[in-house]
Amino acid sequence: MQTLAHFGDGGPGPWILLFPVIWALVIGGGIALLRRTAWRGGRRGPWRPPAADDPSPLTLLGRRFAAGEIDEDEYWRRLSVLDEQFGRKGGAA
């Protein structure tokens, strides 16, 4: 008595075990591909352009100060003006 559907009598033999392995690899590869791209929600995928960091005026002012484009006095003067418009809402302790 031989196993694997009597492969000596013309059955598929041990090759029949290869098909479930191939299907498992195909399904696993598809899931891995979807997890890396489409299922990431707000994260960037390969088809989306790179997102700008934070284009807020406060961030831009901080970058200009860090790059040396403006001096400390001008930074604090502009920051006080921007804080009135774009700063934290509500009373801070």
Side-chain angles (χ1 to χ4, degrees):
M1 179 176 169
Q2 295 180 357
T3 58
L4 296 174
H6 308 288
F7 83 95
D9 295 332
W15 294 105
I16 197 166
L17 298 177
L18 187 61
F19 293 108
V21 172
I22 290 173
W23 278 111
L25 289 174
V26 167
I27 292 170
I31 290 173
L33 182 66
L34 286 174
R35 288 189 68 191
R36 292 184 62 87
T37 58
W39 288 348
R40 286 203 170 184
R43 297 181 186 159
R44 284 185 293 146
W47 57 87
R48 294 182 190 159
D53 291 334
D54 184 15
S56 73
L58 294 174
T59 303
L60 294 175
L61 180 64
R63 286 186 184 162
R64 287 188 64 197
F65 177 64
E69 295 177 17
I70 58 176
D71 62 351
E72 186 177 0
D73 293 331
E74 186 175 359
Y75 171 77
W76 287 111
R77 183 172 48 83
R78 290 182 182 208
L79 184 64
S80 66
V81 171
L82 289 175
D83 256 346
E84 292 175 9
Q85 282 186 319
F86 300 103
R88 296 183 186 137
K89 304 294 182 206

